[in-house]
């Protein structure tokens, strides 16, 4: 009876030893007699006691490395420090366990090597202004490198760029010069636009004056024509002479009222017109 009880207990223990409960977000790597046998997923699994052994418990959720720092030389020979964040996941537990000794050190080494390579192709201004494109390029390169070791790098971000004092001073001078250049261009464009507007205003004023003179001339011509039609030949001639003299008088009067007029020289034409107009009025 005691032997049967002992056998029953032994069988229960062997069964319990053969049951492996794998937690969520983990894989168990199983070896049989020292060689890789299989990988257990989350849940209840059965192994052969004494022959099978749990060689490694591998986390398969996302792992975060947020303090990767390195020095980089850009394409324009500027030395700066970069801080990166990397998120990776183990997709092949066998490769991650048997091909790599320390998976975190592998990821850090891959990141440092590929980041130096990618950032060394661009200038410092591009690193600071176009991190999005650089992050995509880095992620693509890291994904290809990680497949060999059973890992998938799902995110790679340049989270900080550190410059030494000399580089910061030089960049400040460059930025100040750029701001001054843009300000000079803005001032020049403003002055050019103001000159164009002033010229347009003068042209518009001249055109309006020309239109007014043309309208007055046309009106006077029409008045003279109607006057000539309403009178006989000699009378019409005298009326036209009088009308012309009146227009000349008005023109001289406007000239005399001008603030710029200091000395007025009367030509012979207007004087003769005055005498003719006076003669006509005397006869009338």
């Amino acid at each position: 009876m005691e032997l049967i009880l002992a056998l029953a207990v032994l069988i229960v223990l062997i069964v319990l030893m053969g049951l492996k409960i794998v937690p969520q977000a983990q894989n168990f790597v199983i070896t049989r007699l020292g060689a890789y046998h299989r990988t257990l997923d989350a849940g209840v699994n059965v192994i052969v006691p004494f022959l099978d052994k749990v060689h490694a418990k591998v986390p398969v959720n996302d792992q975060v490395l947020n303090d990767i720092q390195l020095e980089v030389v850009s394409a324009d020979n500027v030395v700066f420090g970069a801080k990166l964040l990397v998120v990776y996941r183990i997709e092949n537990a066998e490769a991650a366990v048997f091909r790599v000794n320390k998976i975190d050190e592998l990821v850090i080494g891959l990141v440092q090597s590929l980041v130096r390579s990618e950032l060394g192709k661009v200038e410092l201004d591009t690193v600071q202004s176009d991190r999005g494109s650089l992050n995509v390029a880095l992620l693509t390169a890291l994904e290809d490198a990680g497949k060999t070791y059973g890992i998938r790098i799902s995110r790679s971000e340049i989270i900080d760029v550190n410059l030494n004092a000399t580089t910061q001073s030089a960049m400040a001078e460059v930025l100040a010069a750029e701001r001054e250049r843009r300000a000079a261009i803005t001032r020049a464009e403003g002055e050019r636009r103001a000159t164009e507007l002033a010229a347009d205003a003068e042209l518009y004023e001249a055109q309006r004056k020309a239109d007014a003179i043309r309208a007055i001339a046309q009106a006077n011509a029409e008045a003279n024509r109607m006057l000539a039609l309403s009178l006989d030949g000699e009378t019409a001639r005298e009326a036209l002479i009088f009308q012309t003299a009146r227009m000349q008088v008005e023109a001289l009067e406007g000239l005399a009222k001008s603030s710029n007029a200091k000395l007025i020289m009367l030509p012979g034409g207007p004087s003769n017109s005055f005498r003719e107009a006076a003669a006509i009025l005397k006869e009338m």
Side-chain angles (χ1 to χ4, degrees), residues 153-172:
I153 299 176
S154 58
R155 191 174 183 86
S156 174
E157 297 283 345
I158 302 171
I159 58 177
D160 195 12
V161 174
N162 300 314
L163 306 175
N164 57 39
T166 302
T167 303
Q168 289 179 348
S169 176
M171 289 187 64

Side-chain angles (χ1 to χ4, degrees), residues 94-278:
E94 175 194 357
V97 170
F98 292 106
R99 292 186 182 182
V100 183
N101 184 20
K102 295 181 179 180
I103 195 71
D104 284 355
E105 293 183 2
L106 169 69
V107 173
I108 292 173
L110 288 174
V111 169
Q112 290 178 336
S113 175
L114 292 173
V115 165
R116 285 192 177 99
S117 176
E118 291 296 328
L119 297 188
K121 299 176 183 178
V122 298
E123 296 182 354
L124 178 61
D125 289 343
T126 303
V127 176
Q128 293 182 313
S129 62
D130 193 16
R131 292 189 188 180
S133 299
L134 290 173
N135 288 332
V136 172
L138 288 173
L139 182 59
T140 302
L142 289 170
E143 283 181 342
D144 294 338
K147 290 178 181 178
T148 305
Y149 304 99
I151 60 176
R152 179 178 180 273
I153 299 176
S154 58
R155 191 174 183 86
S156 174
E157 297 283 345
I158 302 171
I159 58 177
D160 195 12
V161 174
N162 300 314
L163 306 175
N164 57 39
T166 302
T167 303
Q168 289 179 348
S169 176
M171 289 187 64
E173 292 179 0
V174 171
L175 290 175
E178 178 64 17
R179 285 194 294 269
E180 179 59 29
R181 183 185 67 84
R182 292 181 180 178
I185 292 174
T186 301
R187 287 194 297 268
E189 290 179 348
E191 292 174 358
R192 178 179 62 83
R193 184 57 180 163
T195 302
E196 290 177 352
L197 292 175
D200 290 342
E202 291 178 0
L203 178 60
Y204 177 77
E205 183 179 0
Q207 289 176 343
R208 296 293 294 175
K209 289 180 178 179
D211 291 341
I213 293 172
R214 188 180 302 110
I216 294 172
Q218 290 176 351
N220 289 331
E222 181 64 18
N224 292 336
R225 188 182 68 83
M226 295 300 297
L227 183 62
L229 289 176
S230 64
L231 301 173
D232 55 22
E234 185 62 26
T235 305
R237 177 179 175 276
E238 293 176 352
L240 290 175
I241 293 174
F242 177 78
Q243 182 73 1
T244 302
R246 183 182 64 82
M247 293 171 59
Q248 290 180 341
V249 170
E250 291 177 353
L252 292 174
E253 182 182 0
L255 181 62
K257 291 179 179 180
S258 173
S259 59
N260 295 326
K262 302 301 181 182
L263 180 62
I264 301 175
M265 299 297 294
L266 295 179
S271 301
N272 295 334
S273 298
F274 296 158
R275 287 195 294 272
E276 291 180 359

Side-chain angles (χ1 to χ4, degrees), residues 58-98:
V58 181
V60 293
N61 56 348
D62 287 344
Q63 304 296 308
V64 180
L65 300 174
N66 58 3
D67 195 21
I68 301 177
Q69 300 189 25
L70 68 159
E71 284 192 348
V72 182
V73 180
S74 63
D76 50 350
N77 295 321
V78 178
V79 180
F80 62 94
K83 184 177 180 181
L84 297 98
L85 177 144
V86 175
V87 180
Y88 73 92
R89 175 184 297 179
I90 297 175
E91 293 188 335
N92 187 335
E94 175 194 357
V97 170
F98 292 106

Side-chain angles (χ1 to χ4, degrees), residues 12-34:
V12 171
L13 290 175
I14 292 174
V15 170
L16 291 177
M17 291 175 62
L19 292 177
K20 293 297 178 183
I21 300 175
V22 181
Q24 187 68 35
Q26 277 192 350
N27 284 165
F28 286 3
V29 176
I30 304 299
T31 57
R32 177 170 290 178
L33 300 177

